[in-house]
Amino acid sequence: MDFNFIKAQLNGSNHGKIVLLIMDGLGGLPMEEGGLTELEAAETPHMDALAKRSMLGLHQGIRTGITPGSGPAHLSLFGYDPVKYQVGRGALEALGIDFDLQKQDVAARGNFCTVDEEGRVTDRRAGRIPTEVSERLCKLLNEKVSIPGVEVFLQAVKEYRFLLVIRGEGLQANIEETDPLIVGEKPLPALALDQGSEKAAEIVREFVCQAMEIMKDEHPANMLMLRGFAQLPDWPLFPEVFNLRALAIAMYPMYRGVAKLVGMEALPASHSYEEEIDLLEEQWENYDFFFVHIKKVDSYGEDGAFDKKVHEIEQVDALLPRILNLDPSVLIITGDHSTPSAMKSHSWHPVPVLLHAKTCRPDGIGQFGERACLGGGLGGRFPAYELMPLALAHAGRLEKFGA
Amino acid sequence: MDFNFIKAQLNGSNHGKIVLLIMDGLGGLPMEEGGLTELEAAETPHMDALAKRSMLGLHQGIRTGITPGSGPAHLSLFGYDPVKYQVGRGALEALGIDFDLQKQDVAARGNFCTVDEEGRVTDRRAGRIPTEVSERLCKLLNEKVSIPGVEVFLQAVKEYRFLLVIRGEGLQANIEETDPLIVGEKPLPALALDQGSEKAAEIVREFVCQAMEIMKDEHPANMLMLRGFAQLPDWPLFPEVFNLRALAIAMYPMYRGVAKLVGMEALPASHSYEEEIDLLEEQWENYDFFFVHIKKVDSYGEDGAFDKKVHEIEQVDALLPRILNLDPSVLIITGDHSTPSAMKSHSWHPVPVLLHAKTCRPDGIGQFGERACLGGGLGGRFPAYELMPLALAHAGRLEKFGA
């Protein structure tokens, strides 16, 4: 999608609220031949009744046959072609642990590792040290590392993995990774891959040097390696491109992070779906666009827990009347990708979509499920990033093209 | 669509006639929940019978979610991606009133307006003077304006709006608009925005100067402003790209104009659909491609007159046997965009299409309507500009790609 094209078509209307309700990993598969998918098996009277008055279809997050990661899948739903808009891994890591990454910060993914006396890597994961050990090491390094002119932040992620952030003026992140990727080699020096990244690379090398000294008596994690140097991308921002005051409501930091990446505001809901809908109701007058993220549908898919995934979908269905009571101009219900319990993983299968609006042309299909959606007007394998223009159109926010 | 690609696939056949029957604004919506659209409600025994032997689907004229204007919507049906092929507003205005715009002519949309003694705009529309007053003013200016080396034409459009055309050698149209867009300001000078447009800009300034003098004692329209300077685009022409002698038959100048823009010939039918079909029969041997335009389906949609739109569709259905009697190789029946009576305006909703040919693979759906078309082989949201290659294929005019 061409953002300039869409921007030029905006009619300036500030009416017409849009709700994007994402059940993470919604799409599924039957567990045995001839069976039903999780969504088909779920008893969803509210969604089925709404389907009758809606347009249905199935979207693809990335490209045909490609299994989406959660970050790109959400970008696509927000209207960003994720093949064109790619985020560096370091920045993604920061988003995933709710680190408040700022413009010009250089972020990297780190591994604590073990090296021998000659500095050769003997274990790339330092025996998978527990997260608490990483936390202690990060705290130690945060206290002791000192580099003039910049701030350095370390934050533990999980087990041996941590986040490194360097904050200062004039930093760029085109820096070679230091992980040699095999044992028996020494970590590589952090070399700049272009002139603009020289300053940051020098700081990284100084950091590694100090860290090695500070950690030299630790065991088993006596060294670190860095990968995926990245900065926040300089992308067109969602609220500006689409002229929508946008709010993300999500229980997990990763999803708030992706939303913040495109300029949405984000609020955490700590305990339950009910709390997410409470927030939606409370904030209804303050925003035009609401991304509401439901996590556990995916988690049970990953666990291969078909029945629990079904039950989770049914719980979301029970909340639908509260959302409809708010009378959104456009309500889209979908997932970011498929997570079939039968596969215990994300998959490439298209994801069911329901788009409801007073101005939609209903397909007249009275069920929300993978096979039912095949007959819908949105099509069976359309790019997820086409949902935003459709949402804007149905919210009355686009003008006619040409006379 | 890549015109060079299509051109390279032409097999040089001069057989296989194609009829493109456009009911303007055909697509619709139900007036109330659970109801039928206009096309679904219409009794169309001939189209339904033909549908059974045809391929169905729904097209999008511009892009997903984008409401098409009539000009771009028709360009798309003629095979031109309307986002790539955009016409300047002045040229469009000329087409819309059947002015015979020629290569190198510079056209602009004009407003008659009111200015005070100091030349400041007090009414941008001169109190919406009636068209007859505009006609008198245009006549006056046509007679009195005199600029050496060029011809100047003014033609009233509607109320305070008129068309200005300057005809001469070496003119280009990249010229700043003179409408300040707010009252209390003086009209702006027509400045060239590039060197090639200097000559035309100077002529425009001289024209404005003379016009001001000629109109100074008129009331309320004592001045004019100009916008949308444009020339005819230099596009690949339909008859050459597709190797089709092409004729447009339409009652309204706008639609003949768009057809002429891509190099079709055009004939007016003044009074009725029957007369349009008369012309089709008369001209059958002289052309390969016939674009037949039916206007009033759209007009009743714009009026919100559901029943009248239904009746209009039924009248077109009654004419179908006459078209089928001509035994076209390919007959496409569709609209340029949707104009749901429920919305009283153009809309973004996909438009039903029926493609009949002896060589088509019939879907076996016995009804021509929005929901019926969803099950058709053309797909539910395909780009309108893909219809031309399909028409050529079904007319036996394309060759195999590769050995």
Side-chain angles (χ1 to χ4, degrees):
Chain A
M1 188 176 45
D2 179 342
F3 286 148
N4 289 328
F5 178 76
I6 288 293
K7 232 174 141 171
Q9 293 302 121
L10 292 172
N11 62 12
S13 162
N14 285 320
H15 306 292
K17 290 185 191 289
I18 300 166
V19 175
L20 176 64
L21 177 65
I22 302 296
M23 284 180 265
D24 205 295
L26 177 63
L29 287 174
M31 291 298 272
E32 68 288 324
E33 214 174 294
L36 300 174
T37 68
E38 295 90 332
L39 179 57
E40 289 170 345
E43 300 225 359
T44 53
H46 299 111
M47 289 191 220
D48 292 346
L50 190 64
K52 186 95 185 165
R53 303 185 287 131
S54 302
M55 291 183 80
L56 305 181
L58 298 114
H59 76 69
Q60 292 189 157
I62 318 294
R63 293 288 185 274
T64 298
I66 304 299
T67 296
S70 293
H74 277 85
L75 286 176
S76 197
L77 290 165
F78 299 158
Y80 294 67
D81 178 351
V83 175
K84 186 172 164 198
Y85 293 95
Q86 296 198 30
V87 195
R89 302 294 304 193
L92 262 189
E93 194 81 293
L95 298 175
I97 59 170
D98 230 2
F99 185 93
D100 187 20
L101 199 65
Q102 300 181 9
K103 288 251 173 239
Q104 293 214 332
D105 284 359
V106 168
R109 309 170 83 193
N111 283 14
F112 288 115
C113 64
T114 312
V115 294
D116 62 19
E117 296 96 65
E118 285 166 355
R120 290 179 214 281
V121 177
T122 56
D123 186 335
R124 290 181 53 248
R125 297 181 183 84
R128 291 189 182 271
I129 48 169
T131 308
E132 305 82 66
V133 176
S134 273
E135 283 169 350
R136 184 179 58 77
L137 290 171
C138 286
K139 187 158 177 278
L140 184 72
L141 291 165
N142 275 328
E143 284 167 9
K144 296 213 166 170
V145 167
S146 165
I147 303 172
V150 297
E151 289 178 280
V152 176
F153 307 92
L154 283 97
Q155 192 168 319
V157 175
K158 197 178 177 189
E159 297 179 344
Y160 58 94
R161 284 168 37 215
F162 66 91
L163 168 75
L164 168 72
V165 173
I166 296 172
R167 181 167 296 164
E169 294 292 312
L171 302 182
Q172 289 181 36
N174 198 5
I175 299 172
E176 201 149 28
E177 310 194 323
T178 77
D179 186 343
L181 297 175
I182 45 169
V183 295
E185 299 283 332
K186 290 184 183 181
L188 306 169
L191 297 176
L193 294 169
D194 60 26
Q195 215 170 0
S197 304
E198 288 286 1
K199 179 177 172 185
E202 199 180 315
I203 292 163
V204 170
R205 290 193 296 269
E206 172 63 24
F207 163 75
V208 171
C209 191
Q210 292 188 20
M212 193 160 50
E213 180 61 26
I214 295 164
M215 295 171 68
K216 69 174 191 290
D217 297 326
E218 295 288 336
H219 181 78
N222 61 354
M223 181 54 176
L224 49 76
M225 300 188 293
L226 301 167
R227 292 193 288 165
F229 290 94
Q231 292 183 294
L232 278 183
D234 188 23
W235 293 345
L237 294 180
F238 185 97
E240 290 161 24
V241 170
F242 300 120
N243 187 33
L244 293 169
R245 296 171 301 166
L247 178 67
I249 299 173
M251 289 170 71
Y252 284 70
M254 168 71 194
Y255 306 96
R256 295 194 297 274
V258 176
K260 284 194 279 188
L261 192 66
V262 297
M264 293 188 201
E265 294 180 46
L267 287 174
S270 311
H271 300 103
S272 68
Y273 302 157
E274 283 73 15
E275 199 178 309
E276 295 195 303
I277 307 302
D278 291 345
L279 274 171
L280 179 69
E281 289 169 347
E282 284 164 24
Q283 298 292 332
W284 189 247
E285 293 308 323
N286 302 332
Y287 296 90
D288 309 303
F289 178 92
F290 301 87
F291 155 49
V292 181
H293 183 263
I294 303 283
K295 174 62 187 168
K296 283 209 176 156
V297 177
D298 174 66
S299 311
Y300 289 128
E302 295 264 9
D303 293 346
F306 187 97
D307 292 342
K308 285 186 177 170
K309 186 174 167 189
V310 167
H311 179 67
E312 216 62 24
I313 294 168
E314 290 173 347
Q315 285 199 287
V316 176
D317 187 70
L319 290 170
L320 197 55
R322 286 184 62 192
I323 299 176
L324 291 174
N325 269 346
L326 292 165
D327 196 25
S329 292
V330 180
L331 170 60
I332 295 172
I333 305 176
T334 185
D336 53 345
H337 52 74
S338 292
T339 305
S341 307
M343 292 177 71
K344 298 188 182 181
S345 69
H346 292 203
S347 80
W348 62 89
H349 302 88
V351 187
V353 186
L354 177 160
L355 186 154
H356 177 69
K358 284 185 194 72
T359 54
C360 79
R361 182 189 283 160
D363 309 319
I365 299 166
Q367 198 205 338
F368 185 43
E370 282 82 350
R371 273 166 285 197
C373 284
L374 271 183
L378 293 171
R381 289 193 300 119
F382 73 95
Y385 54 76
E386 287 198 347
L387 275 171
M388 274 309 301
L390 274 173
L392 291 166
H394 285 87
R397 287 172 171 265
L398 296 180
E399 64 184 19
K400 191 162 67 173
F401 178 80
Chain B
M1 189 176 46
D2 179 342
F3 285 149
N4 288 328
F5 178 77
I6 288 293
K7 233 174 142 172
Q9 292 302 119
L10 293 173
N11 61 11
S13 162
N14 285 319
H15 306 291
K17 291 184 190 293
I18 300 166
V19 175
L20 176 64
L21 178 65
I22 302 295
M23 284 180 266
D24 204 296
L26 177 64
L29 287 174
M31 292 297 272
E32 70 286 324
E33 214 175 293
L36 299 174
T37 68
E38 296 90 332
L39 180 58
E40 289 171 345
E43 300 224 358
T44 53
H46 299 110
M47 288 191 223
D48 292 347
L50 190 64
K52 188 94 184 164
R53 302 186 287 131
S54 301
M55 290 185 79
L56 305 182
L58 297 114
H59 76 70
Q60 292 189 156
I62 317 294
R63 292 287 185 274
T64 297
I66 303 297
T67 297
S70 294
H74 276 86
L75 285 176
S76 197
L77 291 165
F78 299 159
Y80 294 68
D81 178 353
V83 175
K84 187 172 163 196
Y85 293 96
Q86 296 197 32
V87 195
R89 305 291 303 195
L92 262 189
E93 194 81 294
L95 298 176
I97 59 170
D98 231 0
F99 184 93
D100 187 20
L101 199 65
Q102 299 180 8
K103 287 254 172 236
Q104 294 215 330
D105 285 359
V106 168
R109 310 169 82 193
N111 282 15
F112 288 116
C113 65
T114 313
V115 295
D116 63 18
E117 296 98 65
E118 286 167 354
R120 290 179 214 282
V121 177
T122 57
D123 187 334
R124 290 180 55 248
R125 298 181 183 85
R128 291 190 184 269
I129 47 168
T131 309
E132 305 83 66
V133 176
S134 274
E135 283 169 349
R136 183 179 60 75
L137 290 170
C138 286
K139 189 157 174 280
L140 184 71
L141 291 165
N142 276 327
E143 286 166 8
K144 296 212 166 169
V145 166
S146 166
I147 303 173
V150 296
E151 288 179 281
V152 175
F153 306 92
L154 284 97
Q155 192 168 319
V157 174
K158 197 179 176 189
E159 296 178 345
Y160 59 94
R161 284 168 40 213
F162 65 90
L163 169 76
L164 169 71
V165 174
I166 296 172
R167 181 168 296 164
E169 294 292 313
L171 303 181
Q172 288 180 35
N174 198 5
I175 299 172
E176 201 149 28
E177 309 194 324
T178 78
D179 186 342
L181 296 176
I182 45 168
V183 295
E185 299 282 330
K186 292 184 183 181
L188 306 169
L191 297 177
L193 293 169
D194 59 27
Q195 216 171 358
S197 304
E198 288 287 1
K199 180 177 173 185
E202 200 181 315
I203 292 164
V204 170
R205 290 193 297 269
E206 172 62 24
F207 163 75
V208 171
C209 191
Q210 292 189 21
M212 192 160 52
E213 180 61 27
I214 294 165
M215 295 171 68
K216 70 173 192 289
D217 296 327
E218 296 286 337
H219 182 79
N222 60 355
M223 182 53 175
L224 49 77
M225 299 188 294
L226 301 167
R227 292 193 288 166
F229 290 94
Q231 293 184 292
L232 278 185
D234 188 24
W235 293 344
L237 296 180
F238 184 97
E240 290 161 25
V241 170
F242 300 120
N243 187 34
L244 293 168
R245 297 170 301 165
L247 177 68
I249 299 172
M251 289 169 70
Y252 283 69
M254 168 71 194
Y255 306 95
R256 295 194 296 273
V258 176
K260 285 194 280 187
L261 193 66
V262 296
M264 293 188 202
E265 294 181 45
L267 286 174
S270 312
H271 299 104
S272 68
Y273 303 156
E274 283 74 15
E275 200 179 308
E276 296 194 301
I277 307 302
D278 292 345
L279 274 172
L280 180 67
E281 290 169 345
E282 285 164 26
Q283 298 292 333
W284 191 247
E285 293 308 322
N286 302 332
Y287 296 90
D288 308 305
F289 178 92
F290 301 86
F291 155 49
V292 181
H293 183 262
I294 303 285
K295 173 63 186 169
K296 282 206 175 158
V297 177
D298 174 67
S299 312
Y300 288 127
E302 294 265 10
D303 293 348
F306 188 96
D307 293 343
K308 286 185 176 170
K309 185 174 166 189
V310 167
H311 179 68
E312 216 63 21
I313 294 168
E314 291 173 345
Q315 286 200 285
V316 176
D317 187 71
L319 290 169
L320 198 55
R322 285 183 63 193
I323 300 176
L324 291 174
N325 270 346
L326 291 165
D327 196 25
S329 292
V330 180
L331 170 60
I332 295 172
I333 305 176
T334 186
D336 53 344
H337 51 73
S338 292
T339 306
S341 306
M343 293 178 71
K344 298 187 183 183
S345 67
H346 292 201
S347 81
W348 64 88
H349 301 88
V351 187
V353 186
L354 177 161
L355 186 153
H356 177 68
K358 284 183 195 73
T359 54
C360 79
R361 180 190 286 160
D363 307 319
I365 300 166
Q367 198 204 337
F368 186 42
E370 282 83 351
R371 272 167 286 197
C373 284
L374 269 183
L378 294 172
R381 289 194 301 120
F382 73 94
Y385 53 77
E386 288 195 348
L387 275 171
M388 275 308 301
L390 274 173
L392 291 167
H394 285 88
R397 285 171 173 267
L398 296 180
E399 64 185 19
K400 190 162 64 175
F401 178 78

